[in-house]
Amino acid sequence: MPRIFLGIESSCDDTAAAVVTSDRRILSSVVLDQATLHERYGGVVPEIAARAHAEKLDIAVEKALEDANLELSDLDAIAVTAGPGLIGGVISGVMMARGLSAGSGLPLIAVNHLAGHALTPRLTDSLSFPYLMLLVSGGHCQFLIVHGPDEFHRLGGTIDDAPGEAFDKTARLLGLPQPGGPSVESSAKLGDPKRFALPRPLLDRSGCDMSFSGLKTAVLRTRDALVSEKSGLTQQDRTDLCAGFQSAVVDVLAEKSRRAIKAYLESAPSEPAFAVAGGVAANTAIRTGLETLSKESGVAFAAPPLALCTDNAAMIAWAGIELDQAGLRGMDPIVARPRWPLDKQQAPLLGSGKKGAKA
Ligand code: KG4
Ligand code: ZN
């Protein structure tokens, strides 16, 4: 009999609940976003997010059960994001899950939000361990070798901003709508990527670490120089800057991925695979670049559907199933953790993105 898990996610600005089975069926996946609440502030406001999660969590859970046509008593366990993320939101989710568990007697499993993202290719593409993963979104950017549901080796990641933040900032600088990724991508299609020489930060440094804040600043300087030269930006200036910016991100991600694949292949995986997830993975130029690279390297490429790449609770339910199957029920009682690095050997990282802690 397949096991049925409820997943709960509230670590950033999406209140989500989902029901998933151990034979990889997503019976429901509800995501209530808070975009309109944070829009006017130009970023996620943690206090507003926490309050909205507290108000919406029960609605999300009820809807997830209703969509799955199940009662709480039909479930086998509850999996909840216990970090890393904006602590108020994480606490809201953990308290909700603890209440549900106390009332129903269902076991509770703490899930690391990043493990949720990193294990998604097992749910969608049945990848075998170990596989290489690039998480690339508005809040995360790192390469991981995934050896098991609680065994991750971090090869490198951003030392400052996540690429999604850089896309969003570039759009803001050029007066394009948010979220910046899709607007910069569509503008870049009409532009000349070679007109402005933008930097490819850290390409000269060995290893898989990346940096995107200098690129963001270079876009700002180029824009300011154009504006002071002719007191405004033409449509062509905008599209050329978008194209130049995007091609710099593509180049950095491709070169760092090449190195990550090389390091991964040294461990001689039996079924080599490279998976990419996160909102930025929706970008066609980035995706195509990584897919081509995988083909050249003899590594299978996987990119879960976008709804499962961005924040959702199906990935949390699935990670709970994987941990449970491996006998790794984790902490008891569950406490919310603002920081929770996936790689236990890794030294703590500095810095925190606008969309939450980078772990
Ligand atoms: O994974 P996600 O939905 O949320 C988290 O950050 O957790 O990622 C959102 C980010 C935003 O910064 C958005 O601008 C970026 O992903 N994004 C894109 C594209 N679509 C979304 N970036 C580049 N190209 C896109 N097509
Ligand atoms: Zn996330």
Side-chain angles (χ1 to χ4, degrees):
M1 270 286 277
R3 314 241 304 144
I4 310 174
F5 277 47
L6 171 70
I8 296 176
E9 155 63 36
S10 58
S11 65
C12 189
D13 58 348
D14 291 306
T15 313
V19 178
V20 176
T21 67
S22 54
D23 58 356
R24 296 186 160 82
R25 282 176 297 132
I26 299 171
L27 302 184
S28 63
S29 181
V30 177
V31 179
L32 307 174
D33 79 67
Q34 305 176 351
T36 51
L37 294 179
H38 302 287
E39 204 171 51
R40 79 178 96 151
Y41 304 103
V44 178
V45 183
E47 290 75 13
I48 295 177
R51 200 170 318 133
H53 285 307
E55 281 167 14
K56 292 277 176 63
L57 273 161
D58 55 343
I59 298 171
V61 168
E62 254 172 40
K63 176 96 172 55
L65 288 171
E66 196 184 303
D67 290 357
N69 212 0
L70 294 174
E71 308 274 337
L72 212 46
S73 57
D74 298 316
L75 304 177
D76 291 292
I78 300 168
V80 61
T81 300
L86 300 174
I87 192 63
V90 179
I91 291 174
S92 301
V94 166
M95 295 319 284
M96 173 79 192
R98 283 176 70 163
L100 280 175
S101 163
S104 62
L106 289 171
L108 202 51
I109 298 176
V111 171
N112 180 311
H113 175 85
L114 298 171
H117 280 301
L119 294 168
T120 301
R122 304 250 310 151
L123 169 63
T124 56
D125 295 81
S126 305
L127 292 192
S128 337
F129 297 125
Y131 55 91
L132 177 67
M133 180 86 209
L134 169 62
L135 285 183
V136 62
S137 71
H140 324 294
C141 183
Q142 55 183 323
F143 290 105
L144 295 164
I145 299 179
V146 186
H147 291 281
D150 192 29
E151 203 189 332
F152 304 91
H153 176 56
R154 189 177 184 284
L155 294 174
T158 182
I159 56 166
D160 42 51
D161 295 342
E165 273 177 82
F167 268 98
D168 294 341
K169 182 72 191 289
T170 297
R172 220 168 287 132
L173 288 171
L174 301 178
L176 299 171
Q178 295 293 320
S183 30
V184 170
E185 179 173 17
S186 68
S187 175
K189 286 201 179 91
L190 308 166
D192 170 9
K194 298 224 161 67
R195 177 169 157 209
F196 301 108
L198 295 171
R200 269 78 176 144
L202 296 194
L203 272 200
D204 52 347
R205 201 198 280 182
S206 65
C208 298
D209 278 342
M210 293 165 277
S211 160
F212 295 96
S213 91
L215 177 57
K216 208 173 66 180
T217 313
V219 172
L220 168 70
R221 290 223 184 87
T222 312
R223 181 205 65 170
D224 287 351
L226 287 167
V227 169
S228 67
E229 203 177 289
K230 44 190 183 187
S231 65
L233 289 179
T234 64
Q235 198 52 25
Q236 195 61 47
D237 293 336
R238 280 200 186 85
T239 55
D240 290 346
L241 252 175
C242 284
F245 164 80
Q246 183 174 282
S247 98
V249 177
V250 169
D251 285 355
V252 170
L253 288 176
E255 176 54 28
K256 296 289 175 169
S257 298
R258 189 187 309 278
R259 295 181 197 175
I261 290 175
K262 188 162 174 276
Y264 161 67
L265 288 177
E266 277 164 14
S267 65
S270 54
E271 292 173 56
F274 178 33
V276 54
V280 179
N283 185 292
T284 311
I286 293 174
R287 215 180 168 104
T288 312
L290 299 180
E291 195 166 1
T292 310
L293 176 65
S294 303
K295 271 206 193 104
E296 287 167 9
S297 317
V299 168
F301 181 74
L306 196 58
L308 293 172
C309 275
T310 55
D311 287 352
N312 67 88
M315 68 180 191
I316 303 304
W318 175 254
I321 290 170
E322 292 248 27
L323 287 166
D324 184 57
Q325 281 173 346
L328 300 163
R329 281 277 172 89
M331 47 171 134
D332 181 29
I334 293 184
V335 288
R337 298 178 59 174
R339 290 197 165 247
W340 185 357
L342 272 183
D343 185 340
K344 299 180 188 86
Q345 316 298 323
Q346 189 78 35
L349 278 182
L350 295 174
S352 180
K354 223 176 257 147
K355 298 191 99 191
K358 290 186 191 105

